[in-house]
Amino acid sequence: MAGACCKCSASLSVIKRSLSVTPRSSTPASRQQIHSSWGRLGERGVHEGRLTTAARPSTLKTAVNNSYRNRHHPHPAFPCFSCQESMSESLRTCYVYLNQTSRSFAAVIQALDGELRHAVCIFYLVLRALDTVEDDMTIPLDRKVPLLTNFHSFLYQPEWRFTGSQEKDRQVLEDFPTISVEFRNLGQEYQDVIADICHRMGVGMAEFLEKKVGSMAEWDKYCHYVAGLVGVGLSQLFSASRLEDPEVGGDTELANSMGLFLQKTNIIRDYLEDQQQSRHFWPQEAWSKFSSGLEDFAEPQHLSAGLSCLNLLVTDALRHVPDVITYLSRLGNQSVFNFCAIPQVMAIATLSACYNNPMVFQGVVKIRKGQAVTLMMQATNMGAVKSIIAQYSQEIVPKVCVSDPSCERTLQMLALIRERSLCVDSVAARTHTHTHTHSNHLSPVYLSAAMLLAALSWQYLTATTTTTTPPGTTDMQGH
């Protein structure tokens, strides 16, 4: 089994001491020390479970800019400096690859507690390698299909590697033996989960290689293969680590919804980018109600039809939010809660921004950087997460037009979300008595970790702004 790092304030020390990221862009964006004086910034808003303006972007940017001057750190990113000597060279390399290939999840993965951190790191890299095969359009189908469907078996072949990829993340394929050896060093309970999800995902990816997403049911199926299974696998890893109860890993329906909500939000938001790259993920059953071709929505004369389709898909994505609330309410470990909650609050904010927004067909709709940082800081307890979900879902209400074909269904979903956001159920109450709670009275260590993660994210977002994105914006995953 992979050696677990020390338990001493891991969520804080990993961010404070050891994050150094090489992003996909050429802009340097290493993440270095930010002192613990950040610890209580915005604490009042977190304790009260509501959004505040305490974390002003200008304040965050000033502090991060001071730390950014120290970006030339000689060491790659590792979970905890005090544990480096006990880590194998291959495991250290895996964390380097994690930081090189993940622009947004490297930090939260490394903030997970104990041996779960290593398991999720390897899980991410295995699926990144699988996804790199799927994304590589230079690999012929007759070769790609067996690669995808058999990929799980390569985890047990010490010398297997793939050198025929042209993708930017090809190092995870070319040096796959380094990843697979650490996979085999994990506990059997972790290996079983990772291999099973890898197999099921590879088969699903192969199924959709040559067919477009047709019905709404196929949209759910596609999103299940590429994201829902990730949610299922992560949930099973959480339970296998014993940081979460067995019911978290056993309820695959809720775990699937967590993944579907994120994936559908990405697909909705990325309409124009996908069209420009000849990728089609909006389901035909939806867009064919309003146009003869999905590409028509990019034309000004088809804007009204495009907005109707957009609002239909947003409404469909919103139906997963009640499951998201239930899932998060069951979590007891703080590091797991942060890991799961941050992407979900980013998603609801992004979805709210996309609803009835013509910019979806003209560019990329992204939430502001300062807004993203504030969300990261505050998504540390269930009360705050419910308040965030309630706020952004209710911001959609005044945008709903009575002439919109999905009007009635949209309002019904928003009312349901509001009801679920305001209620205090027994499951949520139970988790507040868990050994590792995420109650409204968070310890200074976890508050400091949240502040640091937000600040580091701000630094990274500032360093990687592209010309295609208006200044001051970011997407739900910090890209």
Side-chain angles (χ1 to χ4, degrees):
M1 179 180 295
C5 278
C6 62
K7 303 283 186 181
C8 54
S9 305
S11 295
L12 177 62
S13 62
V14 61
I15 301 171
K16 183 177 177 182
R17 296 182 179 181
S18 60
L19 291 186
S20 175
V21 174
T22 303
R24 295 179 184 181
S25 71
S26 59
T27 307
S30 301
R31 303 176 181 187
Q32 296 302 321
Q33 293 180 338
I34 297 182
H35 298 293
S36 58
S37 58
W38 282 85
R40 308 192 70 81
L41 180 62
E43 181 178 349
R44 177 173 173 269
V46 174
H47 278 197
E48 295 180 356
R50 60 181 174 82
L51 293 174
T52 73
T53 57
R56 288 188 291 271
S58 59
T59 305
L60 288 170
K61 187 173 181 180
T62 299
V64 172
N65 283 344
N66 290 336
S67 70
Y68 190 68
R69 299 189 187 102
N70 301 320
R71 64 180 178 269
H72 299 295
H73 197 282
H75 302 289
F78 297 118
C80 178
F81 269 20
S82 64
C83 300
Q84 286 186 38
E85 291 184 0
S86 64
M87 292 172 60
S88 66
E89 187 64 30
S90 56
L91 184 56
R92 295 184 187 210
T93 301
C94 284
Y95 278 101
V96 172
Y97 289 158
L98 171 67
N99 284 298
Q100 288 176 343
T101 59
S102 173
R103 292 170 292 176
S104 49
F105 285 110
V108 287
I109 288 175
Q110 290 170 113
L112 288 169
D113 288 340
E115 64 185 16
L116 176 62
R117 184 183 309 128
H118 298 330
V120 174
C121 173
I122 300 305
F123 185 43
Y124 174 89
L125 292 176
V126 169
L127 297 188
R128 169 59 63 190
L130 177 68
D131 190 58
T132 300
V133 172
E134 185 205 23
D135 286 345
D136 195 332
M137 303 305 293
T138 67
I139 304 175
L141 287 180
D142 60 351
R143 191 179 186 191
K144 182 182 289 190
V145 169
L147 278 174
L148 292 174
T149 55
N150 296 321
F151 201 88
H152 65 289
S153 67
F154 305 146
L155 292 167
Y156 301 98
Q157 299 178 28
E159 302 303 321
W160 186 89
R161 68 181 73 232
F162 184 73
T163 58
S165 175
Q166 302 300 315
E167 289 291 296
K168 55 184 175 297
D169 293 330
R170 58 185 177 272
Q171 73 267 29
V172 294
L173 289 170
E174 294 173 346
D175 193 21
F176 196 73
T178 294
I179 298 169
S180 67
V181 71
E182 286 304 325
F183 164 81
R184 295 187 298 275
N185 285 338
L186 293 172
Q188 192 62 49
E189 64 274 24
Y190 297 130
Q191 290 187 41
D192 291 344
V193 171
I194 295 172
D196 175 59
I197 297 300
C198 182
H199 183 202
R200 293 160 65 185
M201 186 178 292
V203 171
M205 287 177 169
E207 178 182 335
F208 278 90
L209 280 179
E210 292 189 282
K211 73 175 184 179
K212 296 179 181 179
V213 180
S215 66
M216 297 297 287
E218 284 183 327
W219 198 36
D220 277 0
K221 189 176 183 180
Y222 172 76
C223 291
H224 166 73
Y225 283 141
V226 300
L229 283 174
V230 178
V232 171
L234 286 170
S235 301
Q236 292 173 348
L237 292 177
F238 299 156
S239 294
S241 72
R242 299 185 181 181
L243 292 177
E244 296 295 346
D245 291 338
E247 68 174 344
V248 172
D251 196 331
T252 56
E253 183 175 348
L254 290 184
N256 184 60
S257 286
M258 291 281 286
L260 262 62
F261 184 58
L262 297 180
Q263 185 66 19
K264 287 183 177 181
T265 300
N266 282 335
I267 289 174
I268 290 168
R269 178 204 60 198
D270 292 341
Y271 165 85
L272 188 61
E273 178 183 343
D274 288 337
Q275 283 296 301
Q276 292 170 342
Q277 299 184 25
S278 299
R279 299 188 304 226
H280 308 281
F281 297 117
W282 283 27
Q284 184 174 0
E285 181 181 335
W287 60 256
S288 63
K289 294 179 180 180
F290 309 102
S291 176
S292 59
L294 180 57
E295 66 281 357
D296 292 345
F297 296 151
E299 301 296 330
Q301 62 269 31
H302 297 289
L303 178 59
S304 178
L307 290 174
S308 295
C309 183
L310 168 65
N311 296 341
L312 184 155
L313 295 182
V314 170
T315 301
D316 179 80
L318 288 172
R319 68 184 171 88
H320 300 294
V321 175
D323 280 352
V324 169
I325 294 173
T326 301
Y327 181 96
L328 293 175
S329 296
R330 289 181 175 179
L331 299 178
N333 178 270
Q334 184 69 53
S335 72
V336 172
F337 184 84
N338 293 348
F339 177 89
C340 295
I342 289 174
Q344 300 295 333
V345 298
M346 293 291 188
I348 190 66
T350 300
L351 211 59
S352 177
C354 285
Y355 184 85
N356 207 42
N357 189 345
M359 282 303 299
V360 171
F361 307 106
Q362 302 168 17
V364 180
V365 175
K366 298 186 179 183
I367 60 178
R368 298 183 306 277
K369 293 176 185 175
Q371 182 183 3
V373 170
T374 301
L375 291 174
M376 293 176 193
M377 292 172 58
Q378 297 184 336
T380 56
N381 67 83
M382 200 60 220
V385 168
K386 283 187 173 183
S387 294
I388 293 168
I389 291 174
Q391 173 182 324
Y392 283 104
S393 61
Q394 292 309 298
E395 285 182 2
I396 297 176
V397 174
K399 304 177 189 177
V400 179
C401 179
V402 293
S403 61
D404 186 90
S406 304
C407 170
E408 184 176 351
R409 176 63 175 161
T410 305
L411 293 175
Q412 288 175 349
M413 283 307 314
L414 294 173
L416 176 60
I417 293 170
R418 178 176 174 80
E419 179 184 344
R420 289 300 310 279
S421 299
L422 296 177
C423 76
V424 179
D425 53 36
S426 59
V427 173
R430 177 187 62 76
T431 59
H432 288 291
T433 64
H434 196 282
T435 304
H436 303 284
T437 63
H438 47 264
S439 65
N440 284 338
H441 300 287
L442 296 175
S443 69
V445 166
Y446 281 122
L447 286 167
S448 296
M451 303 309 109
L452 289 164
L453 178 58
L456 292 163
S457 300
W458 172 273
Q459 169 186 329
Y460 183 68
L461 297 173
T462 302
T464 57
T465 301
T466 66
T467 57
T468 58
T469 305
T473 62
T474 183
D475 67 12
M476 58 175 282
Q477 294 182 341
H479 293 175

